[in-house]
């Protein structure tokens, strides 16, 4: 299989990283709690740390092979690296920072300076110095500089973690464009499930230096034990479910998009995804209400029939419901213990699920 093949071990003090994984083309999201070894893994791939033992290849090139004593230096690996901090040269303009990346490029690579500027929306920023950029603008420049070094592989180490939600939301479309427009494998590290849900084609979950799970984003991140591993066991943690649905139609006048979800249809605020494309939604349990009869005369438009498959009590007088929809889709709902008792809820009972359209935000 083409792409990145990793078998690497590294011990520092009491922490041991031991990872074996395959990362094909597209975006591979790497997620896990703090201290899981996410950044260390990227640094080992990039050659910024020395492994104890490793066999790392990218396509037909060996980056590390401990048995054969092969270890390419970072500058020969043709890997772009975007750090959490933009790390731009403060004395250079945006244009000069980009040109610094271009000086290191391989002559055989064809992505142009103009294309990178257009992809990342940098044209209006070229004359500015880094101290005149917002956090999101600085990260776009950092990504552009990495691209102009001519990489075959892009590593992104929590590039949005230092940004507020508005700026984070503003830069994610640019990262999506990179995935669609450039044939460039990306390893994207984050501790934020929403980022991984929106950006990744597949996911790898790290825990205490090892791979706890990997595979399809929804299948992996919907597993309760994986959510607990990433988010912790706090009663304040809001469980959520990732669902995938097909865009059926856009109503621009009403600013609404209709999605097909199994035998059901749901609506959400207008999205830009093309009709026929698949979008992901991460539906929080706090946004799901339950009824034992189909409601009438109600403003909520998304009313779906479901079956309760599991009821899990939590502290503070609440219970979590796992709900099965048509087409093997699943949702979570968190309600009060009082409501649970009043509705006489039990596993296998048919109920109606109510979700406000404004609570549904596409993560695709």
């Amino acid at each position: 299989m083409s792409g990145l093949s990793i078998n690497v071990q590294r011990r520092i003090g009491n922490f041991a990283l031991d990872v074996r994984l395959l990362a094909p083309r597209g975006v591979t999201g790497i997620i896990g709690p703090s201290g899981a070894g996410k950044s260390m893994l990227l640094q080992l791939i990039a050659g910024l740390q020395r492994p104890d033992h490793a066999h790392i290849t990218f396509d037909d090139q060996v980056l590390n092979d401990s048995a054969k004593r092969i270890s390419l230096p970072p500058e020969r690996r043709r890997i772009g690296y975007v750090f959490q901090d933009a790390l731009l040269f403060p004395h250079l303009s945006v244009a000069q920072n980009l040109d610094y990346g271009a000086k290191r490029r391989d002559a055989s690579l064809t992505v142009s300076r103009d294309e990178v500027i257009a992809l990342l929306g940098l044209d209006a920023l070229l004359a500015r110095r880094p101290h005149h950029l917002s956090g999101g603008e600085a990260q776009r420049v950092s990504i552009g500089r990495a691209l102009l070094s001519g990489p075959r592989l892009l590593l992104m180490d929590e590039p949005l973690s230092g940004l507020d939600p508005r700026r984070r939301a503003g830069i994610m479309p640019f990262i999506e464009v990179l995935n669609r427009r450039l044939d460039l494998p990306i390893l994207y590290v984050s501790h934020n499930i929403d980022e991984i849900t929106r950006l990744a084609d597949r996911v790898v979950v790290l825990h205490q230096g090892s791979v706890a799970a990997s595979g399809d984003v929804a299948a992996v991140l919907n597993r309760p034990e994986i959510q607990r591993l990433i988010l912790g066991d706090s009663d304040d943690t809001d469980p959520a479910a990732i669902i995938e649905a097909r865009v059926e139609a856009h109503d621009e006048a009403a600013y609404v998009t209709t999605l097909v979800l199994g035998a059901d249809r749901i609506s959400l605020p207008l999205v830009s995804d093309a009709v026929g494309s698949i979008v992901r939604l991460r539906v929080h349990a706090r946004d799901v209400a339950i009824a034992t009869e189909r409601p009438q005369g109600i403003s909520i438009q998304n009313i779906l029939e479901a079956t309760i498959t599991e009821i899990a009590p939590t502290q503070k007088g609440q219970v979590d419901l796992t709900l099965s929809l048509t087409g093997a889709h699943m949702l979570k709902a968190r309600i009060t213990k009082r409501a649970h008792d009043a509705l006489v809820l039990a596993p296998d009972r048919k109920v109606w699920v109510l979700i406000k359209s404004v609570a549904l935000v596409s993560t695709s």
Side-chain angles (χ1 to χ4, degrees):
M1 182 188 70
S2 63
L4 187 66
S5 174
I6 303 165
N7 182 345
V8 63
Q9 295 83 45
R10 169 78 161 134
R11 176 177 288 276
I12 299 179
N14 293 326
F15 180 80
L17 183 81
D18 187 350
V19 170
R20 295 167 179 82
L21 65 88
L22 299 174
R25 296 189 178 275
V27 178
T28 298
I30 301 176
I31 193 168
S34 297
K38 304 183 296 294
S39 295
M40 179 186 288
L41 177 61
L42 291 198
Q43 291 170 17
L44 288 164
I45 296 168
L48 302 179
Q49 285 197 40
R50 184 180 295 276
D52 298 325
H53 302 281
H55 184 78
I56 304 174
T57 62
F58 180 67
D59 288 348
D60 57 351
Q61 184 180 34
V62 177
L63 306 182
N64 270 103
D65 190 331
S66 300
K68 296 181 180 179
R69 297 186 177 182
I70 297 173
S71 180
L72 292 186
E75 63 273 15
R76 290 184 55 198
R77 298 191 181 205
R78 290 168 57 184
I79 293 175
Y81 204 122
V82 180
F83 295 87
Q84 179 176 332
D85 298 318
L87 300 180
L88 302 176
F89 296 114
H91 61 291
L92 300 180
S93 68
V94 167
Q96 291 168 327
N97 269 281
L98 294 175
D99 290 339
Y100 178 85
K103 290 177 182 177
R104 300 172 52 238
R105 67 188 288 122
D106 186 295
S108 66
L109 299 176
T110 57
V111 59
S112 71
R113 184 178 187 272
D114 289 344
E115 184 178 9
V116 167
I117 289 170
L119 283 174
L120 295 170
L122 300 178
D123 190 64
L125 309 178
L126 295 176
R128 295 190 198 174
R129 294 288 179 90
H131 62 277
H132 287 142
L133 300 175
S134 69
E137 289 169 342
Q139 278 296 38
R140 280 155 50 198
V141 176
S142 178
I143 295 169
R145 186 175 64 182
L147 291 175
L148 284 174
S149 69
R152 297 195 305 166
L153 169 68
L154 186 63
L155 308 179
M156 308 186 78
D157 191 358
E158 303 208 48
L160 307 185
S161 63
L163 305 179
D164 60 50
R166 182 177 62 84
R167 289 192 171 94
R168 187 183 301 124
I171 196 173
M172 278 199 281
F174 293 101
I175 299 175
E176 290 177 304
V177 167
L178 298 182
N179 184 30
R180 291 196 299 265
R181 294 274 296 276
L182 303 178
D183 184 23
L184 189 66
I186 299 173
L187 265 62
Y188 188 95
V189 163
S190 178
H191 63 275
N192 186 300
I193 292 181
D194 286 329
E195 285 180 32
I196 296 297
T197 301
R198 175 166 179 173
L199 298 174
D201 298 307
R202 67 203 64 84
V203 65
V204 175
V205 180
L206 289 189
H207 179 57
Q208 296 180 350
S210 299
V211 176
S214 64
D216 175 79
V217 173
V220 170
L221 296 184
N222 276 338
R223 289 164 53 183
E225 72 275 17
I226 295 299
Q227 291 192 22
R228 288 193 296 270
L229 185 152
I230 296 170
L231 300 174
D233 270 324
S234 169
D235 294 322
D236 295 328
T237 300
D238 179 27
I242 298 167
I243 59 176
E244 296 179 338
R246 178 173 54 83
V247 177
E248 181 179 61
H250 299 296
D251 185 341
E252 296 189 9
Y255 206 75
V256 168
T257 292
T258 301
L259 306 179
V260 175
L261 180 67
D264 297 307
R265 280 163 176 76
I266 57 177
S267 62
L268 72 162
L270 190 68
V271 299
S272 59
D273 303 84
V275 170
S277 62
I278 302 298
V279 300
R280 286 193 197 121
L281 307 173
R282 187 161 182 256
V283 185
H284 290 268
R286 64 172 180 261
D287 295 322
V288 178
I290 302 296
T292 54
E293 298 179 359
R294 184 179 180 90
Q296 302 292 328
I298 189 171
S299 64
I300 296 176
Q301 299 296 298
N302 296 316
I303 303 174
L304 313 175
E305 190 172 2
T307 301
I308 299 174
T309 59
E310 184 180 350
I311 301 176
T314 68
Q315 297 180 16
K316 301 180 181 177
Q318 297 178 324
V319 297
D320 288 343
L321 309 179
T322 302
L323 304 152
S324 175
L325 306 177
T326 59
H329 295 285
M330 179 268 292
L331 287 176
K332 293 281 190 177
R334 175 165 286 183
I335 64 175
T336 65
K337 178 68 164 56
R338 185 175 183 178
H340 163 272
D341 294 343
L343 294 173
V344 195
L345 301 180
D348 297 325
R349 179 164 184 180
K350 299 288 185 182
V351 294
W352 296 94
V353 172
L354 290 73
I355 315 169
K356 289 184 177 181
S357 296
V358 294
L360 295 175
V361 178
S362 170
T363 61
S364 299

